[in-house]
Amino acid sequence: MTVHAPPSTEQLVQILRHLCRRPSTSGQIEELHDTAEFIALFVRQLGMHVRIATTGMAPVVIARRAGRRSQTILLYHHYDTPPTGPWRHWSHEPFDLAERDDKLFGRGVAGGKGALAAHLAALQTILQREGELPCGVTLVIEGAALIGSAGLAEALRAHDDLLQCDAILASIGDRDVTGTPICASGSKGWIRLRLTAHGPAYPLPPGFAASVANPLWRLIWAVASLKGDDEDVRIEGFYDAVEGPSRTDNAVIRQLQLAAATRRQAWQIDQFLFGIDGAALSRSEVTLPTCNVSRLTVEPAGDTPAIPAQASALLDIQLVPHQQPDTTVTLIQQHLHDKGFADIALERLPGGYPPLVTATDNPFVSRVATIGATVFERPLSVVPAGPYTVPFSLLVGQHPIPTASVGFTPTVSALFAPDEYVPLADLIRHSRLLIEILDRWWS
């Protein structure tokens, strides 16, 4: 068996540095367009046929190049990042790549741009050494992953001729307690909703709370009806389609050891919900749907005491196999009506997608895990899904294409916080992993 050398460290770091220098904050259209143009230019230099698909949200870079073999693998990536927050909370400027203690720091290094840099460097290295790719490669690199991949389906439909492939590989997910990537064979689905309660035409002094309904209270009561303090979702029918894991998957989940203690320390939490740990923690993250409140806002915002004119809540819901977005939205609408909250406006936000899971024993998934074991020197745990979502269902469409996602960085890498980082060794191994997969996945 031939073991391929990864790209040089300098080559990898240089690509990541260029990516990090271009802010691409989620929702910031100018930043996203600039970053997409840079990525497209780099990919063209790899001899790939490139298109930039415009959407109502952020451009999608779609590229393709044939290889020695007829088979093609599609690599999914994203370049949008969370906001940096106040720069004073960072140890350095967030868009200047910094290196300390064998770690690379910067916004996006762990949450999208690091994995993208690793794969771009891998492709560049293969072409420099061999002049061609071992198999065909298609790239789909989007800029709205953090808001449910809004616009991705539209972009894919318009450029379907570039998307024919035999397998799909992503780089999103966690690592276990040993630092070995977890391989997910699929992804939960995702829907994003906004609930809005309306009050008076304009804010009123707070003393009128004795005679005027406060829309924020109304919203709080409506949101509280969706979920109990036992963490069960109270929407009738929400769990009807949920099935437990197969015996095979359940055995893998029981053996999966998450970095629980490291998480608690990094996140500064005393315990997980109800003190769960071990197999119970793994099972909850892999198999359970979620109903999360991301934000409560009032209009107009401010610190002056008042009865607000309007209050809104953002909900994001992850769905497991057999739960469908349209059905779930209908159930929530019916729930609000039945509980006396018909006045609460329910808006489905752009983006989101159904769940899609490839069998964990699928030959492609097994091959990725086997190759990964040679790179990381430990077996990769294969689970059907995890707490991170990937728009596999949009990428697959109606075609029975196998999918897999290999975790790139630990969840303690501060993906949404200051001083986001990725270990340099993880970057190098992830790049080598792609080189090995491209060379060996059909052999």
Side-chain angles (χ1 to χ4, degrees):
M1 179 183 68
T2 303
V3 177
H4 299 84
S8 70
T9 300
E10 181 180 353
Q11 182 181 9
L12 269 169
V13 172
Q14 188 70 3
I15 294 173
L16 183 54
R17 178 174 289 111
H18 283 301
L19 285 171
C20 287
R21 281 178 178 168
R22 286 161 174 81
S24 51
T25 307
S26 180
Q28 298 301 308
I29 301 301
E30 285 190 20
E31 293 182 5
L32 295 169
H33 276 264
D34 177 69
T35 302
E37 290 286 352
F38 169 77
I39 293 171
L41 177 62
F42 186 94
V43 173
R44 284 192 185 97
Q45 294 172 351
L46 298 178
M48 304 189 80
H49 177 61
V50 181
R51 295 179 192 169
I52 299 180
T54 58
T55 73
M57 303 302 294
V60 180
V61 179
I62 303 175
R64 186 180 180 94
R65 176 166 174 158
R68 285 192 301 272
R69 296 194 300 269
S70 61
Q71 294 85 3
T72 297
I73 188 169
L74 187 153
L75 306 176
Y76 167 81
H77 287 281
H78 72 93
Y79 60 86
D80 54 320
T81 66
T84 62
W87 282 28
R88 66 179 180 275
H89 293 159
W90 288 74
S91 302
H92 55 86
E93 291 189 4
F95 300 118
D96 283 342
L97 191 68
E99 184 173 356
R100 299 191 304 273
D101 302 323
D102 295 322
K103 298 175 182 177
L104 300 173
F105 293 81
R107 177 49 86 221
V109 297
K113 291 183 177 179
L116 175 58
H119 278 188
L120 292 178
L123 296 176
Q124 186 180 62
T125 297
I126 294 172
L127 291 169
Q128 288 171 344
R129 293 173 182 170
E130 303 178 25
E132 61 179 346
L133 297 174
C135 63
V137 172
T138 295
L139 296 173
V140 173
I141 310 168
E142 66 156 318
L146 300 183
I147 54 171
S149 298
L152 179 61
E154 168 193 353
L156 297 177
R157 283 194 299 270
H159 300 275
D160 183 67
D161 59 308
L162 290 182
L163 301 174
Q164 304 305 312
C165 64
D166 299 283
I168 299 174
L169 180 67
S171 302
I172 297 173
D174 202 354
R175 293 181 176 237
D176 65 19
V177 70
T178 69
T180 306
I182 298 168
C183 179
S185 64
S187 170
K188 296 177 183 178
W190 191 11
I191 53 177
R192 303 171 62 241
L193 305 172
R194 179 185 288 117
L195 302 184
T196 302
H198 297 279
Y202 48 83
L204 298 176
F208 287 100
S211 56
V212 176
N214 185 321
L216 182 55
W217 276 119
R218 188 74 179 150
L219 180 69
I220 290 171
W221 295 327
V223 171
S225 76
L226 300 175
K227 193 175 184 181
D229 58 7
D230 58 359
E231 294 293 329
D232 274 350
V233 177
R234 300 293 171 83
I235 302 164
E236 186 172 353
F238 182 79
Y239 293 107
D240 285 358
V242 177
E243 298 179 359
S246 66
R247 291 183 63 185
T248 300
D249 291 346
N250 202 36
V252 174
I253 293 168
R254 284 200 305 269
Q255 296 174 5
L256 177 62
Q257 294 184 332
L258 300 174
T262 304
R263 286 188 188 181
R264 290 196 301 269
Q265 182 180 9
W267 300 345
Q268 298 183 32
I269 59 174
D270 293 330
Q271 63 178 17
F272 298 101
L273 284 174
F274 310 119
I276 60 174
D277 210 337
L281 177 62
S282 302
R283 184 182 176 91
S284 68
E285 293 190 0
V286 172
T287 68
L288 295 183
T290 69
C291 181
N292 180 60
V293 183
S294 295
R295 184 182 304 168
L296 293 174
T297 58
V298 297
E299 294 184 14
D303 295 329
T304 303
I307 297 174
Q310 180 176 295
S312 298
L314 290 183
L315 305 180
D316 55 90
I317 298 172
Q318 289 189 1
L319 306 174
V320 297
H322 306 299
Q323 288 184 307
Q324 293 301 317
D326 291 347
T327 302
T328 303
V329 173
T330 300
L331 291 174
I332 295 172
Q333 186 73 71
Q334 186 64 47
H335 169 89
L336 293 173
H337 182 273
D338 293 345
K339 297 298 180 182
F341 296 107
D343 56 305
I344 301 293
L346 174 63
E347 176 188 5
R348 184 171 174 180
L349 299 178
Y353 35 83
L356 185 142
V357 174
T358 296
T360 53
D361 60 355
N362 177 275
F364 170 70
V365 177
S366 299
R367 192 65 175 150
V368 168
T370 298
I371 296 170
T374 66
V375 174
F376 293 92
E377 301 177 346
R378 292 183 64 91
L380 272 61
S381 297
V382 180
V383 296
Y388 298 103
T389 58
V390 185
F392 281 140
S393 56
L394 303 183
L395 296 164
V396 166
Q398 302 302 314
H399 310 291
I401 303 169
T403 62
S405 185
V406 179
F408 177 57
T409 50
T411 50
V412 297
S413 289
L415 301 176
F416 285 70
D419 284 352
E420 178 182 352
Y421 75 90
V422 58
L424 180 57
D426 288 356
L427 192 71
I428 295 170
R429 288 195 187 99
H430 200 74
S431 191
R432 181 187 156 203
L433 176 63
L434 180 62
I435 295 174
E436 297 287 343
I437 288 174
L438 295 184
D439 188 59
R440 297 167 49 198
W441 70 296
W442 275 107
S443 58

